[in-house]
């Protein structure tokens, strides 16, 4: 059985200024990740796997690559007669600009109100995880909550954009929230996934707009904590927040662990992505590959270690690639030596080039460059 | 009302492929997995789409479940258009009785209605069990240029192999004057590839005549083409120079896979201008571990490789344990090869488990008597027990129980 009473809203541009290199020509949602995915594949697949049949993707700018990736939504089973995938770019006059989350929600209130579903789930693209929202919905109903905020227990990742820290009582109800406090110890921090009734959301958004108080966390959530039944839902699985080029690199490298892969690519809740129809990865005579993740369409004739190779990457004979993230269709010639490099898509690295970054400072090569 | 199509393709996919043994127990030959992610029928379907053919009828008969499920609405090949695309055509019941497809020609005869919907000029008859990349539009252009009634694609084969094929004897202008089915002393080396272009009106005429002839086998090669030739119709041969493989036997299926690897790579699947489309598994990327050694091989999505793989084709979602060795073999989706197991010159089917330290197959030089050697085939969903030994050339369709290490022969 598919389908539940929830419509999903994904913000594809949120926090993209934190990884400026990768989002220069694309949205946060279309940042390539993990050999064959884009970041939006995770929230989209999570929603679909949780029975959400209608998803609106909010786009603000730079969304050509995102549109290309999503297409009709077929790859996520969201190409449907009823419901399915909706792309929500800015429209209308200046009153409907997408400057912040509250204004954006105000601008798309037509989409939300016209949905048959009673609840709405808000989510960003900067969190990589595999979460079953059905459990969140179940808890939301059981607790008779007005608002459920999904959180993670742990030390707040440094550089996370204005983290929302929750103080919970034993029942899981949120007593107090703190925005961007100085906490070094373990705490419960929101991961920008929020579930509530759509009518409540629209009401709160309208209130905020009427007072011109448009900070989502401060004005819409924090000010209403005592007024409504706000609960936390703890997500316990593997999760990474992408908030800098370093955390992007680390999140990719984390996939080398079998435990992480098992939690992220859970068999019954697969992560879907756009199909490319590449042939299987091809290993040639001189290939030596160790502790690496490789996508279809790769051709490897060199040495690869601790690296992530996206679809269609070619590694020439005698080249040595270690601790690198090499995005789709990058061509590396013969005899190159790369270490701690993030190469964006369609890069060409001619033969005998040496590029060295450092663990804490990987070298980034922008899209379609020629080295 | 269906839009007119200049060309309708009829893809024969009903064959059992009995010489593939356990591999075709539960599926038709065109559905046999090939090349790390494809099924054989992907080639004919992709060729159609890449050649601009929009209407494709797929004739199924033997074990059609997996084939039907695989093709479904044709979306992976862009064959899910509103008024055309792919259509599965199975045998059906009529007011007066019901018939299986008696032969290749009879299969087309029974689906004249399907073809007529599109009011085509030409019908191209294809076989779903060949591996090749071919631009049919060039062949159709040749057919038009020669003002032929029927054009048959031919490929040069080695003279010693020619007696396995239907051989065409050809005049210098490429017109055909004789058709030799598996001749003992072939006069030429031009073998029919089982790809025919017909003028639809002509073909229909001959299909009806052939159906009325009670003596006929209702087969293109044996009946329709000789009848056309005898009646003086214009038959031409279209020469094809690319890679073409009829994977009718275990050996040829194995060889066709090996043709994709290392220095014997004679068939390129990475060509962007002639993509082979298929249904893609939804699987994470493959992981090659620290202990792994992978060379001269194709590996699919979702594999976890901890052992050694050389000159092999691995489909998706396969686990290869530490110190396991796979060489010169084909491993189909979902198989588990445990620690220390050795697979040599074998085809291991879907979801089969080879337990620790088992040995499947052997190299040609490890067998004393040459006649005892051959490719080992293990069917799907089978367990080969711990330390078990599966001899070369065997075909396994039941579980093989394990033995204690010291009892191993």
């Amino acid at each position: 059985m598919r389908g539940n009473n929830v419509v999903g809203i994904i913000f594809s541009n949120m926090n993209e200024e934190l990884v400026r290199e990768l989002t220069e020509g694309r949205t946060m949602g279309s940042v390539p990740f993990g050999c064959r995915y884009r970041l939006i594949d995770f929230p989209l697949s999570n929603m679909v796997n949780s029975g959400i049949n209608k998803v609106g993707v909010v786009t603000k700018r730079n969304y050509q690559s995102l549109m290309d990736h999503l297409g009709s939504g077929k790859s996520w089973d969201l190409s449907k007669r009823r419901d399915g995938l909706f792309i929500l770019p800015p429209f209308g006059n200046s009153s409907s600009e997408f400057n912040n989350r509250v204004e954006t929600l105000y601008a798309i209130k037509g989409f939300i109100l016209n949905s048959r579903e009673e609840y709405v789930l808000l989510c960003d693209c900067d969190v990589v995880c595999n979460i079953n929202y059905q459990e969140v919905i179940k808890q939301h109903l059981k607790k008779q909550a007005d608002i459920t905020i999904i959180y993670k227990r742990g030390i707040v990742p440094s550089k996370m954009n204005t983290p929302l820290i929750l103080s919970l009582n034993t029942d899981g109800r949120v007593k107090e929230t703190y925005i961007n406090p100085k906490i070094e110890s373990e705490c419960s921090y929101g991961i920008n996934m929020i579930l509530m009734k759509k009518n409540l959301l629209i009401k709160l958004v309208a209130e905020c707009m009427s007072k011109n108080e448009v900070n989502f966390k401060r004005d819409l959530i924090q000010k209403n904590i005592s007024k409504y039944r706000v609960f936390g839902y703890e997500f316990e699985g593997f999760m990474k927040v992408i908030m800098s080029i370093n955390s992007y690199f680390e999140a990719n490298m984390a996939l080398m662990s079998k435990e992480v892969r098992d939690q992220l690519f859970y068999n019954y809740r697969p992560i879907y992505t756009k199909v490319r129809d590449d042939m299987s990865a091809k290993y040639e005579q001189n290939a030596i590959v160790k502790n690496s993740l490789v996508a279809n369409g790769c051709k490897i004739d060199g040495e690869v270690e601790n690296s992530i190779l996206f679809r269609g990457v070619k590694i020439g004979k005698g080249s040595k690639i270690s601790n690198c993230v090499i995005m789709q269709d990058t061509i590396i010639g013969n005899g190159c030596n790369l270490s701690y490099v993030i190469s964006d898509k369609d890069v060409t690295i001619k033969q005998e080039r040496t590029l060295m970054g450092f663990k804490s400072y990987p070298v980034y090569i922008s899209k379609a460059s020629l080295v | 009302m269906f839009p007119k199509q200049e060309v309708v393709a009829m893809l024969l996919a009903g064959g059992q492929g009995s010489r593939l043994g356990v591999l075709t127990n539960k599926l038709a030959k065109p559905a046999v997995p090939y090349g790390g992610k494809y099924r054989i029928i992907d080639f004919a379907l992709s060729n159609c789409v890449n050649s601009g053919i929009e209407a494709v009828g797929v004739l199924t008969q033997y074990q059609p479940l997996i084939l039907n499920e695989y093709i479904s609405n044709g979306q992976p090949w862009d064959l899910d258009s509103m008024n055309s695309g792919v259509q599965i055509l199975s045998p059906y019941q009529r007011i007066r009785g019901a018939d299986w497809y008696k032969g290749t020609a009879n299969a087309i005869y029974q689906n004249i209605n399907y073809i007529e919907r599109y009011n085509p000029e030409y019908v191209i008859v294809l076989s779903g069990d060949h591996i090749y990349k071919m631009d049919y539009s060039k062949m159709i252009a040749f057919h038009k240029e020669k003002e032929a009634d029927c054009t048959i694609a031919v490929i040069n084969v080695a003279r010693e192999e020619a007696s396995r094929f239907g051989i065409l004897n050809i005049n210098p202008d490429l017109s055909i004057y004789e058709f030799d089915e598996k001749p003992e002393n072939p006069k030429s080396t031009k073998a029919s590839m089982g790809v025919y272009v017909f003028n639809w009106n002509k073909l229909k005429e001959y299909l009806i005549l052939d159906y009325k002839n009670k003596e006929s086998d209702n087969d293109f090669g044996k009946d329709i083409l000789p009848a056309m030739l005898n009646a003086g119709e214009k038959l031409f041969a279209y020469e094809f120079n690319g890679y073409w493989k009829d994977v009718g036997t275990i050996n040829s299926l194995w060889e066709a896979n090996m043709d994709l690897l290392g220095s014997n790579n004679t068939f390129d699947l990475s060509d962007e201008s002639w993509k082979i489309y298929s249904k893609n598994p939804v699987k994470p990327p493959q992981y090659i571990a620290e202990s792994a050694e992978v060379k001269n091989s194709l590996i699919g999505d979702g594999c976890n490789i901890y052992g050694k793989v050389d000159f092999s084709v691995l489909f998706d979602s396969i686990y290869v344990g530490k110190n396991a060795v796979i060489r010169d073999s084909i491993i189909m989706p979902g198989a588990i090869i445990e620690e220390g197991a050795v697979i040599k010159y074998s085809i291991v089917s879907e979801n089969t488990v080879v337990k620790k330290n088992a040995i499947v197959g052997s190299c040609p030089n490890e067998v004393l008597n040459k006649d005892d050697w051959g490719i080992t085939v293990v069917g799907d969903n089978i367990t080969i027990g711990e330390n078990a030994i599966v001899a070369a050339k065997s075909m396994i369709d039941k579980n093989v129980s394990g033995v204690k290490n010291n009892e191993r022969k």
Side-chain angles (χ1 to χ4, degrees), chain A residues 10-13 16 25-31 38-41 44 55-76 79 85-90 98 125 273-275 345 367:
Chain A
I10 297 175
F11 296 86
S12 67
N13 290 87
E16 63 187 12
R26 53 168 80 95
T27 63
M28 191 70 161
S30 42
V31 168
R38 305 276 185 150
L39 289 178
I40 199 168
D41 293 338
L44 262 185
V55 180
V57 175
V58 178
T59 57
K60 190 161 105 188
R61 52 186 201 93
N62 245 342
Y63 49 88
Q64 208 169 23
S65 66
L66 186 76
M67 302 272 284
D68 174 49
H69 180 65
L70 295 176
S72 67
K74 179 87 201 159
S75 298
W76 300 264
S79 172
L85 179 71
F86 295 81
I87 311 247
L88 307 168
F98 285 13
C125 291
T273 190
K274 186 183 170 187
V275 165
K345 62 184 277 197
K367 185 174 163 183

Side-chain angles (χ1 to χ4, degrees), chain A residues 65-317:
Chain A
S65 66
L66 186 76
M67 302 272 284
D68 174 49
H69 180 65
L70 295 176
S72 67
K74 179 87 201 159
S75 298
W76 300 264
D77 238 346
L78 284 172
S79 172
K80 292 180 180 293
R81 283 260 156 109
R82 267 156 51 114
D83 302 337
L85 179 71
F86 295 81
I87 311 247
L88 307 168
F91 67 99
N93 55 26
S94 57
S95 67
S96 63
E97 269 176 19
F98 285 13
N99 291 326
N100 54 57
R101 207 184 295 264
V102 172
E103 279 184 13
T104 305
L105 287 167
Y106 189 73
I108 62 162
K109 65 179 190 297
F111 169 77
I112 299 173
L113 284 171
N114 288 337
S115 301
R116 286 176 290 118
E117 291 77 5
E118 205 180 335
Y119 294 89
V120 46
L121 176 72
L122 307 179
C123 183
D124 294 347
C125 291
D126 54 352
V127 173
V128 176
C129 71
N130 189 330
I131 176 170
N132 186 356
Y133 290 124
Q134 246 160 4
E135 296 297 321
V136 183
I137 296 162
K138 226 191 263 170
Q139 187 202 293
H140 187 83
L141 296 176
K142 197 174 139 210
K143 303 266 186 196
Q144 296 181 307
D146 293 315
I147 300 173
T148 296
I149 301 172
I150 301 172
Y151 69 89
K152 182 85 188 160
R153 212 46 224 154
I155 291 163
V156 182
S158 61
K159 288 194 188 161
M160 191 174 176
N161 201 7
T162 58
L164 179 74
I165 313 297
L166 310 178
S167 159
L168 302 136
N169 65 19
T170 47
D171 185 34
R173 186 158 175 181
V174 179
K175 287 186 296 191
E176 258 181 297
T177 58
Y178 312 93
I179 293 166
N180 210 7
K182 284 258 171 290
I183 300 182
E184 310 259 294
S185 61
E186 197 173 81
C187 62
S188 306
Y189 59 95
I191 50 177
N192 294 332
M193 299 174 186
I194 291 176
L195 176 72
M196 65 179 105
K197 272 211 174 114
K198 74 173 183 203
N199 290 337
L200 176 62
L201 177 70
I202 296 296
K203 184 178 158 223
L204 296 177
V205 166
E207 275 174 24
C208 285
M209 287 299 281
S210 69
K211 291 183 256 175
N212 198 23
E213 293 174 344
V214 291
N215 187 313
F216 184 84
K217 283 175 191 161
R218 208 173 291 285
D219 303 323
L220 197 145
I221 301 289
Q222 199 170 40
K223 285 186 183 162
N224 287 312
I225 288 292
S226 51
K227 252 168 104 180
Y228 293 98
R229 288 174 63 80
V230 182
F231 281 79
Y233 174 91
E234 186 182 356
F235 173 65
E236 290 172 346
F238 168 80
M239 181 218 74
K240 279 272 182 201
V241 188
I242 311 290
M243 64 242 151
S244 63
I245 196 94
N246 281 344
S247 60
Y248 171 79
F249 184 73
E250 280 163 24
N252 271 291
M253 289 301 161
L255 300 177
M256 300 299 177
S257 146
K258 183 176 186 306
E259 217 168 69
V260 165
R261 288 203 307 281
D262 287 349
Q263 285 185 47
L264 201 53
F265 306 116
Y266 189 70
N267 248 344
Y268 299 98
R269 297 203 304 267
I271 305 298
Y272 303 94
T273 190
K274 186 183 170 187
V275 165
R276 248 184 67 147
D277 283 297
D278 286 309
M279 70 183 292
S280 300
K282 193 157 187 252
Y283 296 79
E284 306 285 5
Q285 175 71 41
N286 306 299
I288 300 176
V289 183
K290 304 273 174 204
N291 191 38
S292 293
L293 285 163
V294 180
N296 270 357
C298 286
K299 276 190 185 169
I300 306 173
D301 203 15
E303 279 180 50
V304 180
E305 199 181 4
N306 304 332
S307 295
I308 304 264
L309 307 187
F310 283 67
R311 297 190 274 198
V313 167
K314 314 249 178 319
I315 310 272
K317 197 172 158 180

Side-chain angles (χ1 to χ4, degrees), chain A residues 34-37 74-75 255-258 261 265 267 270-273 275-296 299 305-306 309 314 329, chain B residues 35-38 73 75-76 260-262 265 268-270 272 275-278 280-301 304 306 311 314:
Chain A
C35 284
R36 57 198 303 270
Y37 304 99
K74 179 87 201 159
S75 298
L255 300 177
M256 300 299 177
S257 146
K258 183 176 186 306
R261 288 203 307 281
F265 306 116
N267 248 344
I271 305 298
Y272 303 94
T273 190
V275 165
R276 248 184 67 147
D277 283 297
D278 286 309
M279 70 183 292
S280 300
K282 193 157 187 252
Y283 296 79
E284 306 285 5
Q285 175 71 41
N286 306 299
I288 300 176
V289 183
K290 304 273 174 204
N291 191 38
S292 293
L293 285 163
V294 180
N296 270 357
K299 276 190 185 169
E305 199 181 4
N306 304 332
L309 307 187
K314 314 249 178 319
D329 298 315
Chain B
K37 69 177 287 198
Y38 308 96
N73 68 350
Q75 193 266 336
L260 299 169
L261 304 178
N265 189 182
D268 181 19
L269 293 175
S270 63
E272 285 290 316
K275 269 203 170 187
I276 304 303
Y277 300 93
S278 65
N280 286 257
V282 179
K283 290 289 168 187
Q286 56 192 274
Y287 176 68
I288 312 293
E290 193 70 50
S291 56
E293 215 176 294
V294 183
K295 282 186 199 295
N296 305 308
S297 295
L298 283 178
I299 314 270
D301 283 340
N304 283 293
Y306 294 84
F311 277 106
L314 272 63

Side-chain angles (χ1 to χ4, degrees), chain B residues 16-29:
Chain B
Q16 178 185 352
S18 52
R19 285 171 300 166
L20 290 177
V22 294
L23 296 180
T24 52
N25 270 357
K26 290 171 205 155
L27 45 80
K29 185 165 139 191

